[in-house]
Amino acid sequence: MSKKILITGGAGFIGSHVVRLFVNKYPDYRIINLDALTYAGNLENLKDAENAPNYFFEKADILKADEIKNIFEKHSITDVIHLAAESHVDRSILSPLDFIYTNIIGTVNLLNIAKDSWKENLPDHRFYHISTDEVYGTLGEAGLFTEISPYAPNSPYSASKASSDHFVRAYGETYKLPYVISNCSNNYGPNQFPEKLIPLFINNIIHKKSLPVYGKGENTRDWLYVIDHARAIDVVFHEGKDNETYNIGGFNEWKNMDLVKLLCKMMDEKLKRSPGESDQLITFIKDRPGHDFRYAIDASKIYKALGWKPSVTFEEGLGHTIDWYMENQEWLSHVTSGDYQQYYQNQYSHR
Ligand code: NAD
Ligand code: DAU
């Protein structure tokens, strides 16, 4: 039987790359993109895929169980790849409850509907939950997160993601719902909403606005190009073992300040500005509360067991990303109008 895959959050940053990859690579599958189109969801991200015969879009909220159940029935969904979430740590500090609703209750709604819809032949189906390395908490100067690192989330966002991971696992144990979970490091690339570090700073450099670095800029993140994450999701979905977790990352750690300086240098070259010009925009502001010091993924399980590894270096990926934002100013101006201005004021004006 050909698969009918429900991809939730497919209009968002990572989801849109996953939808595009699956629509193009698997013409025999039906890909149903379910998205509530919150501030982070944007169908402009999928303009090139929207006319494909195997692509369907359903605007729906994962909190509305009846709507989701109807969509399951209408499309005879066989598998789920679940990306829909509130995804920004700073917003979770401003309004934690939104994260509890979407990330926990929304996930449990999907689990209930999947288990009930597939009850006749559970082993033929798969619920793939997309999670984050932030569930493991923070690292000191040394060490890496592995699949057996204890969960120790520090922000409302990561606590909500940790909780959703636990529910997925619990449904696997209690109801025998076949699942797989992957926990990925920080993504970057085209179509990322400019509230996250890299697209925010690219946008600000273009417009010669200040670059608000939290604290001393010593925190470290492990960066992966979004298209490589989508490739990993494809591999885990098809080859991953039931009821297993896979960490996804590219062994690519950067201290925030080193990354910001590299970004300034690359953009000064591309914008034909004088060397060091964008460095002048760097401004140190009050730290994020509960700011995790360091994330770093040990991705050896997925490298060895599934043969996946990243396809681009960080410099290549960052180059493509900067080019994409410079060539898609209209996309940027659409997403930064309206509510974004309000969010920006709230987040940065008092610090
Ligand atoms: P995003 O914020 O860009 O997109 C989230 C999408 O979910 C949006 O299209 C939004 O409209 C949709 N959505 C939100 N609430 C919804 C609801 N109630 N019902 C239906 N749709 C809803 O997020 P992203 O950065 O693409 O992240 C996608 C997933 O990957 C998330 O689960 C996130 O936790 C995880 N993740 C992200 C990263 C990263 O670096 N961005 C890294 C690891 C894991
Ligand atoms: O690790 C995976 C996670 O990565 C995902 O699960 C999240 O969805 C995603 O948002 C991301 O979380 P981070 O908090 O690491 O990403 P963010 O881009 O918000 O911040 C990256 C680093 O940059 C972090 O140390 C905070 C810092 N930062 C961020 C912003 C927005 C700044 O210094 N200034 C800023 O204005």
Side-chain angles (χ1 to χ4, degrees), residues 144 147 183-185 222-225 228-229 231-232 235-236 239 245-253 297-314:
L144 299 173
E147 286 80 0
N183 296 80
C184 188
S185 62
D222 183 356
W223 295 94
L224 182 69
Y225 193 50
D228 280 327
H229 188 192
R231 289 176 47 250
V235 172
V236 172
E239 314 288 343
T245 288
Y246 295 88
N247 279 354
I248 305 174
F251 297 98
N252 179 42
E253 289 182 52
I297 279 274
D298 179 350
S300 31
K301 178 174 172 182
I302 187 171
Y303 276 47
K304 286 186 197 136
L306 305 182
W308 170 90
K309 63 176 174 36
S311 65
V312 292
T313 65
F314 190 49

Side-chain angles (χ1 to χ4, degrees), residues 23-24 48-56:
V23 163
N24 292 333
D48 55 325
E50 67 189 6
N51 293 322
N54 61 339
Y55 172 72
F56 304 85

Side-chain angles (χ1 to χ4, degrees), residues 8-15 34-42 60-63 82-88 102-103 129-133 157 161 182-188 191-193 195-196 223 229:
T8 71
F13 166 49
I14 302 170
L34 184 161
D35 199 295
L37 301 181
T38 68
Y39 79 92
N42 184 352
D61 185 334
I62 55 171
L63 286 169
H82 176 37
L83 296 107
E86 288 293 340
S87 69
H88 191 37
T102 294
N103 297 359
H129 180 59
I130 306 300
S131 193
T132 170
D133 60 358
Y157 163 70
K161 291 296 291 186
S182 57
N183 296 80
C184 188
S185 62
N186 285 61
N187 284 215
Y188 70 98
N191 306 93
Q192 188 170 29
F193 193 80
E195 62 188 352
K196 310 275 166 64
W223 295 94
H229 188 192

Side-chain angles (χ1 to χ4, degrees), residues 14 86-90 131-134 157 161 184-187 192 194-201 211-215 217 219-223 256 259-260 285 287-288 291-293 295 343-344 347-348 351:
I14 302 170
E86 288 293 340
S87 69
H88 191 37
V89 173
D90 291 325
S131 193
T132 170
D133 60 358
E134 298 199 11
Y157 163 70
K161 291 296 291 186
C184 188
S185 62
N186 285 61
N187 284 215
Q192 188 170 29
E195 62 188 352
K196 310 275 166 64
L197 180 75
I198 290 181
L200 177 79
F201 279 31
L211 305 177
V213 174
Y214 296 160
N219 304 66
T220 296
R221 296 292 182 266
D222 183 356
W223 295 94
N256 288 345
L259 164 54
V260 171
I285 66 166
D287 210 352
R288 171 186 278 175
H291 194 174
D292 285 332
F293 176 66
Y295 305 144
Y343 165 77
Y344 203 93
Q347 179 62 21
Y348 295 105
R351 304 165 79 162

Side-chain angles (χ1 to χ4, degrees), residues 155-329:
S155 73
Y157 163 70
S158 53
S160 69
K161 291 296 291 186
S163 173
S164 63
D165 292 10
H166 290 319
F167 272 104
V168 174
R169 195 179 159 279
Y171 272 60
E173 290 296 316
T174 307
Y175 305 110
K176 307 298 168 215
L177 181 73
Y179 74 87
V180 64
I181 299 176
S182 57
N183 296 80
C184 188
S185 62
N186 285 61
N187 284 215
Y188 70 98
N191 306 93
Q192 188 170 29
F193 193 80
E195 62 188 352
K196 310 275 166 64
L197 180 75
I198 290 181
L200 177 79
F201 279 31
I202 292 175
N203 190 32
N204 285 11
I205 292 172
I206 294 173
H207 295 101
K208 299 192 177 180
K209 281 177 69 177
S210 74
L211 305 177
V213 174
Y214 296 160
K216 294 184 181 151
E218 284 171 351
N219 304 66
T220 296
R221 296 292 182 266
D222 183 356
W223 295 94
L224 182 69
Y225 193 50
V226 64
I227 290 170
D228 280 327
H229 188 192
R231 289 176 47 250
I233 289 173
D234 177 19
V235 172
V236 172
F237 177 74
H238 287 99
E239 314 288 343
K241 285 217 301 226
D242 271 348
N243 304 3
E244 291 261 335
T245 288
Y246 295 88
N247 279 354
I248 305 174
F251 297 98
N252 179 42
E253 289 182 52
W254 286 78
K255 248 186 213 318
N256 288 345
M257 265 314 283
D258 295 339
L259 164 54
V260 171
K261 288 204 161 151
L262 173 66
L263 198 56
C264 289
K265 180 169 175 282
M266 289 174 75
M267 288 201 61
D268 282 342
E269 282 163 16
K270 287 183 189 280
L271 291 162
K272 309 215 179 325
R273 292 182 185 163
S274 40
E277 194 175 328
S278 297
D279 286 3
Q280 306 302 317
L281 301 169
I282 296 171
T283 315
F284 295 96
I285 66 166
K286 196 166 156 225
D287 210 352
R288 171 186 278 175
H291 194 174
D292 285 332
F293 176 66
R294 175 171 164 260
Y295 305 144
I297 279 274
D298 179 350
S300 31
K301 178 174 172 182
I302 187 171
Y303 276 47
K304 286 186 197 136
L306 305 182
W308 170 90
K309 63 176 174 36
S311 65
V312 292
T313 65
F314 190 49
E315 284 74 3
E316 285 166 346
L318 204 54
H320 296 322
T321 305
I322 297 169
D323 292 344
W324 186 87
Y325 281 95
M326 286 173 55
E327 285 157 16
N328 287 275
Q329 297 280 329

